[in-house]
């Protein structure tokens, strides 16, 4: 999100979900929308039926590919090379929006210069995409307007994720596809309230509303409102945090509703780090893998047992309502935090309802200024919504961008290969994916039916790769990276291209993130979940191997 | 759109925009035309022939759901002849249907039942028509719904839903004549097919052929938002006796407009999972009594817990909220500043995230707070 913030001034989806249906061209890159965001996937399908052009770029053969006008199967981690090549085609063929670039953007010259050297043949070699396809996609994106770009973790979860995002933003700026309906750059957010958690300042460098901790005036405003003294130095980001824990600098860790033991990259390191802690507090619905290591476990109530608001991927703040009483002896998270704060003698935590908290948020967060429970009782509002009469903002940047200069920022970029490349020992690229039936590691795994539908990890591997390894569909395989080994059953499928295997990370039994590595994007500090080098072996059961001796197969 | 086409339905003057069907025109005028295979939001197939109407100066009867209006059209939706035709059509549909209305979970909301009430049928003739009841196996492979082909009326709503709304195309009609049935590719069980279990077809099935497992009708519904992905679909959670028994899409929500995926429709079940934590847990000293300052009282000031004692010998002990909060408060006091860090949650509400970061910044005096935005 840091990349988008630098380019446009805000890291959120620029346009509303309902506008996707009216777009003339949809460019989906690094998002298996039909599985991760099914409802948006259906919108895309409907738009295509009504005549919209669809460009799908994904190394994996996703469902979208079936309806796409152009399907680009680039090598994992080569997005910048692909997007730069597209930009080059658009500039060379003079398909870009000159007036938009001149009036509303900055840095075009440098960008043009960076893009110009290099040619299509080189891009073809890096991405393995035929040059003809790159030209076709670029033409399509530039000529059908409005065009919208949707992307997800396939773009961001790289050691150069920020570059990827800026490359995406470059394309939109170049073609003037910003600041109008059905266009824009749209990162599809993962968790139900990941947008809201960011908005609320659950980040180490910003206070609510993305107001910088380092800014003295901002701090003053909050210090006055909260009647306290604020720490001026930004904190640790999650991915750096565990290194700090490991080194003994952080001694106590309080985790609310998260399971880093399964979801973090390189989890064996996380596990070791956690064992160095003096105090680990986990507040969760279940005794998760992380909670099992805790000193204090606090049972929290689920979304159905409390009131509040979630902010969705299109910045819409919506009401969550209590349907049932908290299960067992659990309590809503806000009650736990309030009681704890009060018990520690803190002032300013006397809230009797989430609505009272929202009133305080409203006063301190400009983009939420006009959001009250009364106004969002039927339909949610999209921020920015600065005052009580403001109708909310379906699409951003209609007038100007939120960058300091008010102009969109081009970024000259060059392609950097992924942090870990395949070697003789680790010849495959592992890329993580998500299943239709599960969501991260905990909630859906507690639904029996979901486990009936997808009860175990399946390693997707292309038949071309499976054959020489003598792996058949359903065989147990061992996947090893420099950091660890996991076992799972193989699924032979054309979905994954040759040279690439793909796994989900929903199953604590098969902790895929033991394999992934902690290489971070230097700006956004996001780990490279989408590319790591591994080797795959057929799991050999010595009892049956003997029976199958000489046949080349397990007996 | 302007209402530029005028026609008469049962003597009433009706004005509708061009391209509307007779059925839509009738609905806008408040005239009821019985339908079975018609479903708003899907293309009309005219498969059931229940909505047949008479158009003056035209020979045959025409299906209202598929016939576009024309200027000056004179339509009659019910007279003796139409009633007769509809009754026979209905009797033919019923003749293949597995009657077990009392035990059918669809009873009361079944569109076929409603039609029998509206159109009526001749019992004697029906008994002559009635064949030996079909006895096809019920597909119970999917964990969230069952498919009973014996109750299917071949309206095709499920097929159109899967094609037009979900875009998966997991089912279609298979076989011929009397053997015609809704089937997955290769007639596999639903669980093995391309079906994504979203339940949109189950929601729209007019009869009891596609039916959710363990149907329990809720006693009240609560409007809320799904807790899975970032799309933020509107939900109605159905509650009965303190547990959630149903989830359905909220049609007024601009994001999902009433649609849901498998996680939204069936994923709520984690809420009442038996694995839910029900009480605060604290790692106890061993033995508990010998360290009274541990859980039952606060540790002495300036003496934080020492790790080995807690981690290596501790077992989880259930404590009351009061004890847990007091214990935690007195322990956290020793970790103020940058030696403390917190992970907030993208699953929690805005209010909770706000309060948590406020707690970390104000009470603990550090900016070490983050959440899983990058995962």
């Amino acid at each position: 999100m840091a990349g988008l913030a630098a380019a446009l001034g805000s890291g959120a989806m620029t346009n509303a979900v309902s506008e996707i249906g009216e777009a003339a061209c949809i460019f989906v890159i690094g998002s298996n929308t039909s599985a991760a965001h099914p409802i948006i996937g259906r919108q895309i399908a409907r738009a295509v039926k009504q005549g919209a052009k669809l460009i799908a770029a994904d190394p994996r053969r996703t469902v979208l590919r079936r309806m796409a006008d152009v399907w680009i199967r680039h090598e994992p981690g080569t997005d910048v090379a692909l997007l730069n090549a597209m930009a080059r085609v658009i500039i060379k063929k003079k398909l870009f929006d000159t007036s938009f670039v001149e009036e509303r953007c900055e840095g075009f010259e440098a960008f043009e210069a960076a893009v110009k050297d290099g040619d299509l043949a080189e891009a073809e070699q890096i991405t393995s995409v035929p040059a003809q396809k790159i030209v076709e996609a670029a033409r399509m994106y530039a000529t059908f307007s409005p065009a919208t770009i949707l992307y997800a973790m396939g773009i961001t979860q790289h050691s150069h994720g920020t570059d990827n995002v800026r490359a995406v933003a470059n394309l939109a700026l170049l073609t003037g596809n910003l600041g109008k309906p059905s266009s824009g750059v749209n990162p599809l957010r993962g968790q139900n309230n990941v947008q809201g958690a960011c908005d609320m300042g659950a980040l180490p460098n910003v206070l609510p509303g993305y107001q910088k901790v380092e800014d003295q005036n901002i701090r003053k405003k909050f210090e006055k409102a909260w009647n306290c003294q604020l720490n001026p130095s930004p904190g640790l980001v999650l991915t750096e945090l565990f290194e700090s824990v490991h080194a003994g600098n952080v001694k106590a860790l309080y985790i609310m509703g998260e399971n880093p033991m399964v979801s973090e990259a390189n989890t064996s390191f996380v596990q070791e780090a956690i064992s160095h802690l003096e105090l680990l507090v986990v507040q969760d619905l279940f005794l998760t893998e992380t909670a099992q290591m805790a000193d204090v476990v606090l049972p929290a109530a689920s979304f159905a047992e409390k009131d509040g608001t979630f902010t969705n991927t299109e910045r819409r703040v919506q009401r969550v309502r209590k349907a049932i009483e908290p299960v067992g002896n659990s309590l809503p998270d806000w009650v736990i935090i309030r009681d704890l704060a009060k018990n520690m003698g803190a002032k300013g935590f006397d809230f009797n309802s989430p609505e009272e908290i929202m009133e305080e948020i409203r006063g301190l967060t400009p983009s939420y200024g006009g959001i009250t429970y009364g106004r969002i009782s039927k339909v949610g509002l999209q921020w920015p919504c600065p005052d009580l009469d403001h109708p909310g903002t379906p699409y951003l940047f209609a007038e100007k961008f939120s960058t300091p200069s008010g102009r969109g920022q081009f970024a000259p970029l060059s392609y950097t290969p992924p942090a870990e490349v395949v070697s003789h020992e680790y010849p495959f690229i592992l890329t993580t994916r998500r299943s239709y039936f599960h969501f991260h590691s905990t909630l859906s795994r507690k639904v029996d039916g979901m486990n009936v539908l997808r009860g175990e990890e399946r390693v997707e591997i292309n038949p071309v790769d499976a054959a020489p390894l003598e792996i058949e569909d359903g065989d147990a395989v061992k996947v090893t990276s420099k950091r660890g080994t996991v076992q799972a059953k193989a699924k032979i499928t054309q979905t994954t291209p040759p040279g690439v295997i793909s796994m989900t990370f929903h199953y604590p039994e098969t902790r895929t993130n033991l394999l992934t590595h902690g290489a971070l994007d230097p700006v956004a500090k996001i780990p490279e979940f989408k590319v790591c080098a591994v080797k795959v072996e057929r799991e050999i059961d010595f009892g049956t191997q003997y029976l199958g001796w000489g046949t080349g197969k397990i007996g | 759109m302007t209402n530029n086409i005028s026609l008469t339905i049962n003597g009433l003057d009706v004005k509708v925009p061009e391209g509307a069907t007779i059925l839509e025109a009738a609905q806008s005028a408040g005239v009821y035309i019985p339908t079975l295979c018609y479903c708003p939001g899907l293309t009309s197939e005219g498969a059931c022939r229940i909505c047949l109407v008479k158009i003056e100066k035209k020979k045959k009867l025409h299906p209202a759901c598929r016939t576009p209006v024309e200027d000056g059209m004179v339509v009659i939706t019910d007279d003796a002849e139409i009633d007769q035709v509809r009754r026979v059509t209905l009797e033919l549909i019923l003749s293949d249907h597995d009657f077990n209305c009392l035990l059918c979970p669809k009873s009361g909301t079944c569109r076929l039942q409603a039609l029998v009430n509206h159109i009526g049928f001749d019992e004697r003739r029906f008994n002559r028509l009635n064949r030996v009841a079909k006895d096809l196996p019920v597909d119970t492979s999917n964990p969230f719904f069952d498919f009973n082909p014996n109750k299917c009326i071949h309206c095709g709503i499920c097929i159109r839903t899967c094609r037009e709304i979900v875009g998966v195309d997991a089912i279609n009609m298979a076989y011929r004549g009397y053997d015609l049935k809704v089937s997955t590719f290769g007639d596999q069980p639903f669980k093995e097919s391309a079906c994504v279990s979203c339940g949109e077809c189950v929601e729209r099935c007019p009869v009891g052929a596609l039916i959710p497992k363990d149907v329990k009708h809720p006693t009240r519904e609560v409007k809320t938002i799904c807790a899975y992905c970032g799309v933020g679909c509107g939900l109605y959670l159905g509650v009965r006796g303190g547990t959630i028994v149903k989830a359905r899409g909220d049609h007024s929500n601009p994001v999902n407009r009433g649609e849901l995926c498998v996680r939204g429709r069936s994923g709520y079940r984690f809420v009442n999972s038996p694995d839910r934590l029900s009480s605060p847990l604290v790692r106890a000293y061993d033995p508990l009594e010998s360290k009274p300052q541990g859980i039952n009282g606060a540790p002495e000031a300036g003496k934080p817990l020492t790790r080995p004692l807690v981690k290596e010998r501790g077992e989880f002990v259930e404590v009351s909220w009061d004890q847990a909060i007091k214990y935690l408060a007195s322990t956290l006091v020793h970790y103020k500043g940058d030696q403390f860090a917190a992970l907030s949650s993208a699953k929690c509400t805005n209010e909770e995230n706000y309060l948590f970061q406020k707690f970390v910044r104000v009470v603990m005096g550090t900016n070490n707070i983050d959440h899983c935005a990058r995962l």
Side-chain angles (χ1 to χ4, degrees):
Chain A
M1 307 307 139
L4 210 49
L8 310 175
S10 161
M13 240 173 109
T14 58
N15 290 60
V17 168
S18 57
E19 292 172 11
I20 296 169
E22 273 92 59
C25 176
I26 303 170
F27 180 19
V28 183
I29 180 162
S31 161
N32 184 6
T33 322
S34 330
H37 304 91
I39 300 298
I40 294 180
R42 289 183 201 170
Q43 290 249 16
I44 297 173
R46 243 168 284 168
V48 170
K49 221 161 248 171
Q50 284 165 17
K53 298 283 174 197
L54 175 65
I55 308 162
D58 202 308
R60 292 185 63 244
R61 202 159 80 170
T62 57
V63 178
L64 288 177
R65 177 258 330 172
R66 278 206 313 224
M67 48 187 123
D69 296 277
V70 181
W71 173 44
I72 296 169
R73 182 178 231 180
H74 56 305
E75 295 287 327
T78 62
D79 307 78
V80 170
L82 172 71
L83 294 165
N84 267 355
M86 284 177 69
R88 189 179 316 125
V89 173
I90 293 171
I91 293 174
K92 282 229 169 114
K93 303 221 184 249
K94 301 256 186 288
L95 294 170
F96 61 101
D97 187 337
T98 9
S99 58
F100 188 89
V101 168
E102 266 171 35
E103 284 160 29
R104 301 204 43 188
C105 307
E106 271 174 1
F108 177 68
E109 289 71 27
F111 167 65
E112 193 184 15
V115 167
K116 267 204 168 154
D117 41 70
D119 58 11
L120 276 177
E122 192 191 332
E124 179 173 336
Q125 200 207 337
I126 297 171
T127 60
S128 315
V129 180
Q132 187 50 37
K133 271 202 169 174
I134 300 179
V135 174
E136 201 183 334
R139 268 178 170 272
M140 200 174 271
Y141 176 73
T143 44
F144 289 88
S145 175
T148 179
I149 304 182
L150 308 178
Y151 70 86
M153 295 305 195
I155 280 290
T156 54
Q157 282 179 348
H158 290 279
S159 55
H160 49 269
T162 307
D163 285 358
N164 284 352
V165 172
R166 301 243 18 199
V168 169
N170 282 344
L171 270 191
L173 288 170
L174 192 59
T175 51
N177 274 310
L178 280 163
K180 57 184 181 185
S182 302
S183 66
V185 180
N186 296 298
L188 304 176
R189 306 303 303 259
Q191 299 275 6
N192 57 332
N193 199 31
V194 61
Q195 186 66 52
C198 293
D199 298 346
M200 290 302 109
L203 291 171
N205 58 339
V206 289
L207 287 151
Y210 306 97
Q211 304 177 74
K212 293 223 154 42
V213 166
E214 286 156 302
D215 187 327
Q216 201 182 346
N217 295 332
I218 299 285
R219 272 207 317 279
K220 270 204 182 122
K221 168 178 144 185
F222 279 91
E223 280 170 353
K224 196 165 159 240
W226 290 344
N227 192 17
C228 70
Q229 198 66 29
L230 286 175
N231 188 330
S233 53
L236 298 161
V237 301
L238 185 148
T239 32
E240 290 170 335
L241 170 66
F242 287 103
E243 270 164 42
S244 196
V245 169
H246 197 268
N249 299 330
V250 168
K251 297 194 177 84
L253 180 60
Y254 191 150
I255 302 177
M256 173 168 89
E258 209 160 295
N259 192 7
M261 284 285 291
V262 177
S263 56
E264 267 298 299
N266 196 2
T267 34
S268 50
F269 179 77
V270 172
Q271 178 163 8
E272 204 188 308
I274 284 178
S275 68
H276 290 218
L277 280 170
E278 287 179 19
L279 176 73
L280 176 64
V281 184
V282 175
Q283 187 166 311
D284 211 306
L285 269 59
F286 299 98
L287 197 63
T288 60
E289 289 69 25
T290 311
Q292 282 163 20
M293 300 182 71
D295 300 291
V296 179
V297 181
L298 304 172
S302 77
F303 81 112
E305 298 147 47
K306 63 193 177 192
D307 283 293
T309 55
F310 288 155
T311 305
N312 78 351
T313 182
E314 53 161 9
R315 302 167 274 106
R316 191 183 295 278
V317 186
Q318 309 191 96
R319 261 295 257 127
V320 177
R321 287 183 182 83
K322 179 174 168 178
I324 55 172
E325 288 302 318
V327 169
N329 202 8
S330 64
L331 285 176
D333 295 277
W334 69 270
V335 175
I336 303 174
I337 305 159
R338 176 197 66 185
D339 291 353
L340 180 60
K342 281 166 92 170
N343 221 290
M344 291 177 77
K347 298 273 183 300
F349 284 84
D350 293 309
F351 298 105
N352 292 313
S353 71
E355 188 168 6
E356 288 177 18
I357 304 176
M358 184 47 100
E359 285 301 309
E360 184 173 311
I361 295 172
R362 221 159 70 70
L364 289 165
T365 314
S367 52
Y368 279 65
I371 291 171
T372 64
Y373 276 25
R375 288 190 74 194
I376 59 169
S377 71
K378 285 208 174 74
V379 176
L381 284 167
Q382 286 175 281
W383 67 256
C385 178
D387 57 66
L388 288 170
D389 302 317
H390 196 281
T393 312
Y395 57 91
L396 301 175
F397 318 129
E399 303 290 319
K400 63 185 186 75
F401 293 101
S402 319
T403 50
S405 65
R407 283 165 169 260
Q409 304 289 327
F410 279 107
L413 301 167
S414 56
Y415 165 71
T416 6
E420 193 169 278
V421 289
V422 294
S423 60
H424 182 66
E425 199 186 352
Y426 300 102
F428 290 99
I429 294 175
L430 167 70
T431 186
T432 59
R433 69 186 151 97
R434 277 159 223 250
S435 155
Y436 199 93
F437 299 99
H438 289 297
F439 198 89
H440 278 207
S441 63
T442 311
L443 297 186
S444 58
R445 294 304 312 285
K446 300 291 178 188
V447 180
D448 292 342
M450 300 286 193
N451 289 330
V452 171
L453 292 168
R454 286 292 181 282
E456 58 184 2
E457 179 65 55
R458 298 292 293 270
V459 180
E460 285 187 353
I461 182 165
N462 192 286
V464 174
D465 296 326
L469 294 168
E470 295 183 358
I471 295 169
E472 287 184 18
D473 199 60
D475 278 357
V477 293
K478 208 163 81 175
V479 183
T480 311
S481 79
K482 280 179 191 156
R483 291 156 295 274
T485 299
V486 300
Q487 287 153 337
K489 281 187 182 159
K491 184 180 177 189
I492 312 286
T493 169
Q494 300 269 10
T495 304
T496 304
V500 178
I501 66 162
S502 129
M503 295 173 76
T504 68
F505 56 95
H506 307 304
Y507 307 94
E509 307 87 287
T510 306
R511 279 163 47 189
T512 306
N513 282 327
L514 285 170
L515 306 173
T516 51
H517 64 88
L520 300 180
D521 177 88
V523 182
K525 308 281 167 65
I526 195 165
E528 188 153 50
F529 281 114
K530 296 299 177 194
V531 184
C532 79
V534 294
K535 65 177 171 189
V536 183
E537 294 158 294
R538 193 176 63 177
E539 185 72 14
I540 295 169
D541 178 342
F542 286 100
T544 51
Q545 189 204 17
Y546 177 73
L547 298 170
W549 187 81
T551 61
K553 292 207 174 118
I554 294 174
Chain B
M1 267 206 218
T2 48
N3 294 343
N4 51 2
I5 305 272
S6 46
L7 68 160
T8 351
I9 300 178
N10 298 349
L12 292 166
D13 287 329
V14 187
K15 274 192 192 306
V16 284
E18 203 175 336
T21 61
I22 294 176
L23 181 65
E24 282 158 2
Q27 282 171 343
S28 74
V31 175
Y32 172 66
I33 299 177
T35 58
L36 196 53
C37 72
Y38 169 78
C39 182
L42 299 176
T43 54
S44 297
E45 275 191 341
C48 71
R49 317 311 280 181
I50 290 290
C51 69
L52 291 176
V53 293
K54 248 185 204 170
I55 303 169
E56 217 162 71
K57 293 183 193 146
K58 290 201 178 176
K59 266 189 184 172
K60 298 180 293 182
L61 296 178
H62 294 262
C65 69
R66 267 183 77 87
T67 314
V69 290
E70 285 164 27
D71 215 23
M73 217 178 215
V74 179
V75 180
I76 294 164
T77 71
D78 50 353
D79 65 7
E81 190 193 344
I82 294 172
D83 273 357
Q84 174 74 13
V85 170
R86 283 187 190 151
R87 189 159 68 236
V88 174
T89 311
L90 182 62
E91 283 166 358
L92 285 167
I93 293 169
L94 285 169
S95 70
D96 286 350
H97 191 71
D98 171 20
F99 280 96
N100 203 347
C101 288
L102 262 185
L103 293 177
C104 179
K106 199 77 181 181
S107 184
T109 50
C110 176
R111 298 248 305 272
L112 194 59
Q113 269 182 343
L115 276 186
V116 174
N117 275 332
H118 181 77
I119 298 170
F121 73 114
D122 183 330
E123 201 177 343
R124 272 188 309 170
R125 194 173 56 220
F126 174 72
N127 285 342
R128 278 204 307 280
L129 277 171
N130 203 358
R131 300 198 182 208
V132 179
K134 277 193 212 168
D135 194 17
L136 297 169
V138 179
D139 184 348
T140 56
S141 64
N142 190 288
F144 302 122
F145 64 86
D146 291 343
F147 174 57
N148 184 349
N150 305 310
K151 287 185 180 169
C152 177
I153 52 166
H154 304 148
C155 67
I157 288 177
C158 51
I159 296 169
R160 280 176 277 151
T161 304
C162 200
R163 180 179 306 149
E164 296 169 19
I165 291 181
V166 189
V168 169
D169 242 337
I171 44 175
N172 211 332
M173 290 291 180
Y175 307 105
R176 296 272 161 194
Y178 190 63
D179 294 327
L180 183 79
K181 70 175 252 196
V182 171
S183 162
T184 61
F185 181 73
D187 212 355
Q188 291 169 314
F190 268 93
K191 186 185 159 227
E192 312 298 332
S193 73
C195 168
V196 292
S197 308
C198 68
E200 291 291 343
C201 58
V202 179
E203 193 81 347
R204 286 175 179 76
C205 180
V207 293
L210 282 162
I211 202 88
K213 275 197 163 86
D214 322 315
V215 184
K216 259 192 180 170
H217 298 293
T219 48
R220 74 190 167 90
E221 286 191 319
V222 179
K223 183 182 160 101
T224 187
I225 300 296
C226 177
Y228 278 92
C229 79
V231 179
C233 297
L235 278 187
Y236 277 99
L237 288 178
V239 182
R240 181 167 173 169
T243 51
I244 296 168
V245 294
K246 194 186 171 185
R248 66 178 179 92
D250 177 357
H251 288 268
S252 68
N253 188 293
V255 182
N256 62 319
R257 301 167 189 171
E259 295 173 24
L260 289 178
C261 73
V262 60
R263 296 186 289 242
R265 201 181 302 279
S266 306
Y268 65 83
R269 283 158 225 248
F270 74 84
V271 169
N272 294 107
S273 159
D275 293 347
R276 279 286 296 274
L277 287 165
S278 74
S279 169
L281 303 171
V282 172
R283 284 218 191 258
Y285 293 93
D286 187 24
L288 191 60
E289 289 77 18
S290 71
K291 294 270 184 186
Q293 79 272 37
I295 292 153
N296 296 317
E300 289 165 42
K303 277 193 184 171
L305 293 169
T306 48
R307 191 179 58 81
L309 184 67
V310 178
K311 281 259 163 99
E312 283 165 20
R313 309 186 67 181
E315 286 286 317
F316 279 131
V317 172
E318 291 193 2
V319 294
S320 73
W321 271 109
D322 206 33
Q323 287 171 314
I325 294 285
K326 273 200 183 124
Y327 169 68
L328 198 53
S330 56
T331 315
L332 284 177
V333 167
H334 306 295
Y335 292 101
K336 285 193 177 179
D338 285 341
Q339 55 180 330
F340 176 83
L343 291 182
S344 193
S345 175
K347 280 263 166 279
C348 291
T349 63
N350 287 327
E351 290 77 0
E352 287 161 345
N353 274 294
Y354 173 83
L355 206 61
F356 198 45
Q357 61 87 29
K358 184 175 174 184
F359 169 78
V360 172
R361 291 189 161 116
V362 175
V363 183
M364 300 308 292
T366 174
N367 286 310
N368 284 341
I369 177 162
D370 202 357
H371 69 283
C372 64
R374 295 168 185 85
L375 307 186

